[in-house]
Amino acid sequence: MTLGLDLDFGRLPALERRERWPETPREDAGAERAPAAKGGAEPRLSGREMRIAAALAEAAMPPGRFLDGAGAATASRLAAWLGSIPPHLAQGVRAALWAIELAPLPFRLRPLSALPLEERMEVLRGFEQSRARTLRSLLRAALTPLRFVHYDRPEMFKHVGCRYELPTVRDEAPRWLAQVTDGREVEEDLELECEVLVIGTGAGGAAAAYELASRGHAVLMLEEGDFHRRSSFTGRPARAYREMYRDHGLDMTLGNVNIPVFAGRAVGGSTVINSGTCYRAPESTFASWRDGMGLPAEFSSSGLAPYYERVERMLQVAPADPLHLGAIGPIVRRGAERLGLRHGPLQRNAPDCDGQGICCFGCPTGAKRSTDVSYVPEALKRGAQLITAARVRTIELVAGRARGATAVLGGDTRARGNGDRAASGAGRRPRLVVRAEAVVVAGGALMTPLLLRRSGACLSSGALGKNLSIHPASKVMALFDERIDQWQGIPQGYQIDHFADEGLMFEGGSLPFDVAALAVPWTGHRYTELMERYPHLATFGFMIKDTSRGEVRPGIGGTPLVLYTMNREDVAKMQRGVELLCEVFLAAGARRVLPLVAGCDEVNGPADLERLKARQIQAGDLDVAAFHPLGTCRIGVDPRSSCLGPDHQAHDVAGLYVCDGSAIPSSLGVNPQMTIMAMSLRAAELLSERLSG
C-alpha cells in the first residue's frame, strides 16, 4: 500500500486552503499564531501546520503523574525554533509534519489532526511499531524537534530533580587573546600574509598549528566558528547545538538507515563537544594500512608512539576518576564482572574533572583539555594568529601549488541572530584574502572534501569525498530500582573492551534529561511514564569498527550531503552489541532492559534475550548515531586511489596538506582524536622541514 508521502513543498499552502478539517482543541487561544523566532527570523509554520504539530505533540507526549503534556504551546515553541535554523532544514520538518498528517487518510479517511485523541495515539503506536522504516523515520523526524522544544524548559527538569542550567562564569582575559581577531567585528576587506595558513582548529588543525608555531613559523589559523569561552558553557544542549555544532546537530546520512552525524563548529572543533575519551589506535589497524595500502613503517604503534606521548602530555591523559563515574560505572562493572568480561575506567583528557556530566556541550570548568584550552592557546603563545568566524570559500592555487585562501568574515550568521551585521541585511560581508607559502586544511571529514572540491584540488584520484567511515554507535537503556541520576558524573567514563578485537567497544553514554527524551522512540502514555522514571534510567553505549563506506557530496547551501549504507556485516555487529549490553544490564540486576530496537521493546529475561538473538535485524531497525567521520581525503602511496601522500601533502597540489579526520585511511575502531593529533604533529614536522630546507 502506498501512502503518497512524496510531498511537493510548493503545493502545501494550496492544500491547506483546499481542505477544511475539524480543528484540534488548543491549549490557548493565541497558539495558532507562531511567535517571532529568536533573532527576528520569521516563524516557518502556517496556522494549519501549527494545528498539525499540536495534534501530533498532544498524542505523542500526553501528561503523566507530574510531567506536563504537550500540545499547542509546544507547537508555538516549535514554530519559533524553526525560524532559527537553516531554511532547508525547517522545510524538511514541515514535510515530515505533512507526511504524518496525511498518512492515516487511506485507512481512516481523515488526516491525523482531525482524529480524536485516542485514535491519534493508536495511529502513532502503529507507526512506532511498524516494520516499515519509512514510517518510523517520518515519525522520528517530526517528533524529535517537538520533543526538543517541549523538554527544554526549567520546569520539566525540576519535576525529575535535575539541574537545568549552570550559572554563567566570568571569563578571564589572558594575554594570548590579543592574538585573536573576531571576524564578526571586522568591517573592511583584509589582505594578510603568513608562512603557513591553517584552516580549522579542531584536533588536527590545532595540533599542526602548535607544532609549526613552536618551530618558528608564522602561522595564521582560520576558524569558521566562534571562540567560546567558559561563559558559553552553561550545560544547555539547545545553546550548544545552535552555537557549537555544525548545522545545529541536524546533519544526517541518507541510506538504509538515517544516522545523525555530529561535528563541531567552533574554535576547538569537535574536541569542544566530545566526551574527552582518549585511545591510541590498535596495532591491528596500522598493520592493515601497511599491508593493504603500502604505507611506510612509521604508521605503526612504535612509529607513532613519540607523537602519541606528546599528545598525552599536552592533554594530560589519565584514567577517569572513580569518584566521578556516577552510578552507571559501578552498575556496568557489576554486570561485566558477573559475565567475566574485561572492563575498567576510560582514559580521558580531563585531569580536574568534577563530573558535571555535560562534556558534549562544552566543559564548564575548563577541565577537559579540548584544543580550545590546550593546543590553540599554546600556538597563540608562540606567535600564531587566529581569526574566527572566517568561512573559507576557496584555496588559491597558482601553477599547481597552494598559495593561500579566500574567506568571508562573519561566519554563519544563523548562529547569532539579528545582532550580526550581515544577518540583518546591512551589506555584504568583508572578504579576507590570505597569501601563504603552504596551506593546511583541517575542516573535518565532512567539510574538507567540499572545500577541496570547490578549489579544484585533490580531484585526480576520484577518491575525494569517498571512503567515508563513521564509527556507528548505539545504546541500550535500563530501569533499576535504585536511583541512577545519570545526569551526574562523567557521561563517558567507563568501558568494556573485552570485544575490541571483534570491532566492538562499549563506552558509557549517559544522557541529560532532555537528550534522553529524544532517544526513546516510543509515544503515548508509556513514553511519558518512562520519562517520569528518568532518575532510575541508565544508559550505556557501544561503537563498531565499520566496514561499510559512504560518501560526502555538496549539499544545499554548502552543507554536506552524506550518503552511507550499512552492510550486513556491520548490522550483525550492531545487533551483537545490543545483545551483549542487554546481558550486562540483566546481570547487573536491571528491572527492565530497553534495547530500543524496532519490534523488540524490552528484554527482561533469558527468553526475551533469545528472541532478540533469533531476530534478523535490519539496519533501519536500529537507533544509530555517529561521532567520528573519517577517510574522505585519505592518505596513501598510490595517487590513483588516495588523495594525499603519507606526508599528508596532496598528490596533485604542492604545498597543500590535510591534517584532520579526512586523512585517516580507515575506521580506527576507537575514538580518533588522539590519532588525528599524533598524525598531524608528524605531518607538521615534515612540513616544517620542507619550509626550513
Side-chain angles (χ1 to χ4, degrees):
M1 177 180 66
T2 177
L3 298 180
L5 299 179
D6 291 327
L7 297 178
D8 182 344
F9 293 147
R11 295 183 59 194
L12 294 182
L15 181 64
E16 180 182 343
R17 287 193 300 270
R18 200 166 55 242
E19 297 172 350
R20 290 292 182 265
W21 306 98
E23 293 190 10
T24 302
R26 299 192 296 274
E27 293 176 35
D28 57 79
E32 185 169 333
R33 180 179 294 276
K38 186 175 181 179
E42 284 297 317
R44 295 196 177 113
L45 286 183
S46 67
R48 171 71 187 278
E49 289 164 342
M50 290 281 288
R51 294 195 294 275
I52 295 170
L56 175 59
E58 184 184 28
M61 296 174 281
R65 292 181 298 113
F66 51 81
L67 283 180
D68 301 335
T74 310
S76 294
R77 287 188 286 271
L78 175 68
W81 178 76
L82 289 177
S84 71
I85 68 173
H88 70 280
L89 296 175
Q91 198 76 307
V93 175
R94 289 184 64 220
L97 288 174
W98 278 102
I100 294 294
E101 166 78 343
L102 301 179
L105 277 173
F107 50 94
R108 293 187 185 258
L109 305 181
R110 287 189 293 175
L112 184 79
S113 62
L115 298 174
L117 177 59
E118 287 301 320
E119 283 193 51
R120 272 181 274 145
M121 297 176 83
E122 185 178 339
V123 168
L124 296 189
R125 280 194 296 272
F127 291 171
E128 171 198 317
Q129 298 296 313
S130 174
R131 292 294 293 171
R133 179 175 67 90
T134 301
L135 283 179
R136 298 196 310 274
S137 297
L138 281 172
L139 183 63
R140 182 169 185 172
L143 281 184
T144 295
L146 281 167
R147 286 173 170 166
F148 180 73
V149 298
H150 181 63
Y151 279 87
D152 182 29
R153 295 181 290 147
E155 58 268 30
M156 299 296 277
F157 281 66
K158 185 177 180 181
H159 285 320
V160 292
C162 296
R163 175 194 63 219
Y164 177 73
E165 189 171 28
L166 296 173
T168 301
V169 300
R170 182 177 179 179
D171 290 324
E172 298 176 349
R175 293 178 61 183
W176 51 259
L177 270 181
Q179 307 287 102
V180 180
T181 299
D182 185 346
R184 299 183 190 279
E185 297 177 357
V186 176
E187 297 183 351
E188 298 179 351
D189 292 348
L190 293 177
E191 290 192 16
L192 300 174
E193 293 186 6
C194 62
E195 194 173 6
V196 184
L197 172 63
V198 178
I199 302 169
T201 59
Y210 162 79
E211 182 66 17
L212 290 161
S214 298
R215 291 169 175 264
H217 300 286
V219 176
L220 172 63
M221 296 178 281
L222 298 184
E223 170 56 53
E224 179 188 354
D226 297 302
F227 201 154
H228 295 282
R229 309 296 306 290
R230 282 182 57 194
S231 60
S232 296
F233 303 145
T234 60
R236 294 306 314 125
R239 178 175 181 175
Y241 288 137
R242 182 176 67 248
E243 297 183 356
M244 303 170 206
Y245 281 68
R246 180 161 299 284
D247 293 325
H248 296 248
L250 296 174
D251 285 329
M252 300 278 290
T253 68
L254 298 179
N256 60 349
V257 56
N258 299 124
I259 305 171
V261 183
F262 298 102
R265 193 202 56 177
V267 173
S270 296
T271 70
V272 175
I273 58 165
N274 70 18
S275 296
T277 301
C278 291
Y279 286 105
R280 296 189 185 194
E283 174 57 30
S284 59
T285 296
F286 293 130
S288 71
W289 296 356
R290 297 192 304 273
D291 298 341
M293 303 176 60
L295 287 177
E298 296 97 300
F299 291 95
S300 62
S301 296
S302 58
L304 285 176
Y307 302 102
Y308 275 126
E309 289 166 5
R310 290 169 55 192
V311 171
E312 288 164 349
R313 285 196 298 271
M314 174 66 80
L315 303 188
Q316 301 177 39
V317 175
D321 189 340
L323 292 176
H324 300 301
L325 289 177
I328 293 180
I331 282 174
V332 171
R333 180 176 63 225
R334 186 167 71 220
E337 286 179 350
R338 289 174 179 171
L339 295 174
L341 306 179
R342 189 172 63 247
H343 59 92
L346 281 170
Q347 295 284 110
R348 305 186 70 241
N349 64 347
D352 299 314
C353 177
D354 61 356
Q356 296 272 5
I358 49 175
C359 305
C360 295
F361 311 109
C363 178
T365 64
K368 186 177 72 173
R369 299 278 293 166
S370 46
T371 62
D372 58 313
V373 299
S374 55
Y375 278 112
V376 169
E378 292 302 320
L380 295 170
K381 291 175 186 177
R382 288 158 177 78
Q385 299 279 332
L386 168 63
I387 299 178
T388 64
R391 187 176 180 87
V392 178
R393 297 302 190 191
T394 57
I395 299 164
E396 298 303 314
L397 307 182
V398 180
R401 187 174 188 89
R403 289 296 190 183
T406 300
V408 174
L409 299 179
D412 185 344
T413 58
R414 290 185 297 265
R416 298 291 285 255
N418 65 355
D420 185 285
R421 181 172 53 83
S424 61
R428 73 172 184 88
R429 304 185 206 171
R431 183 168 173 261
L432 169 66
V433 175
V434 180
R435 296 183 178 87
E437 293 298 310
V439 177
V440 175
V441 180
L446 300 184
M447 300 305 292
T448 285
L450 302 187
L451 172 59
L452 295 175
R453 188 173 299 280
R454 288 198 303 270
S455 305
C458 296
L459 300 177
S460 58
S461 68
L464 183 65
K466 298 179 181 178
N467 189 51
L468 173 70
S469 63
I470 61 174
H471 209 184
S474 192
K475 62 186 175 298
V476 171
M477 292 179 166
L479 281 167
F480 286 81
D481 290 333
E482 63 201 88
R483 282 188 70 97
I484 305 299
D485 291 327
Q486 64 174 305
W487 61 279
Q488 295 180 323
I490 300 169
Q492 192 164 293
Y494 212 76
Q495 67 175 356
I496 300 173
D497 60 350
H498 193 89
F499 304 95
D501 291 344
E502 298 181 27
L504 269 170
M505 283 294 296
F506 296 84
E507 303 174 11
S510 302
L511 301 175
F513 178 55
D514 48 348
V515 178
L518 309 181
V520 178
W522 297 353
T523 61
H525 293 296
R526 71 169 184 160
Y527 171 79
T528 301
E529 290 167 2
L530 181 62
M531 294 314 303
E532 289 188 326
R533 296 210 62 196
Y534 172 79
H536 296 265
L537 188 65
T539 307
F540 209 72
F542 66 92
M543 293 180 288
I544 67 165
K545 185 177 182 180
D546 51 332
T547 60
S548 307
R549 292 294 180 266
E551 182 178 355
V552 176
R553 298 178 182 176
I556 299 173
T559 61
L561 174 64
V562 186
L563 308 177
Y564 186 88
T565 296
M566 189 178 292
N567 62 31
R568 278 303 318 169
E569 178 184 348
D570 288 346
V571 173
K573 205 178 298 182
M574 294 290 290
Q575 179 168 355
R576 177 156 166 75
V578 171
E579 293 166 0
L580 288 168
L581 266 186
C582 288
E583 289 188 67
V584 168
F585 275 134
L586 288 172
R591 172 72 65 176
R592 296 166 62 191
V593 178
L594 315 174
L596 306 180
V597 172
C600 184
D601 290 336
E602 299 196 26
V603 172
N604 296 328
D608 291 340
L609 187 59
E610 288 306 312
R611 279 192 290 272
L612 173 61
K613 291 180 177 180
R615 291 175 59 88
Q616 186 173 19
I617 290 176
Q618 305 298 314
D621 296 338
L622 296 159
D623 180 34
V624 188
F627 306 91
H628 307 142
L630 302 172
T632 52
C633 191
R634 64 178 171 182
I635 61 173
V637 296
D638 187 350
R640 296 170 299 179
S641 59
S642 60
C643 298
L644 315 170
D647 59 355
H648 290 242
Q649 184 173 209
H651 288 306
D652 56 4
V653 179
L656 176 62
Y657 291 74
V658 176
C659 293
D660 59 19
S662 69
I664 305 294
S666 72
S667 179
L668 298 175
V670 295
N671 304 59
Q673 70 172 341
M674 286 242 302
T675 301
I676 294 171
M677 291 173 180
M679 290 174 60
S680 296
L681 290 178
R682 174 184 172 275
E685 188 178 89
L686 295 172
L687 171 56
S688 175
E689 291 172 358
R690 287 184 180 153
L691 291 170
S692 302

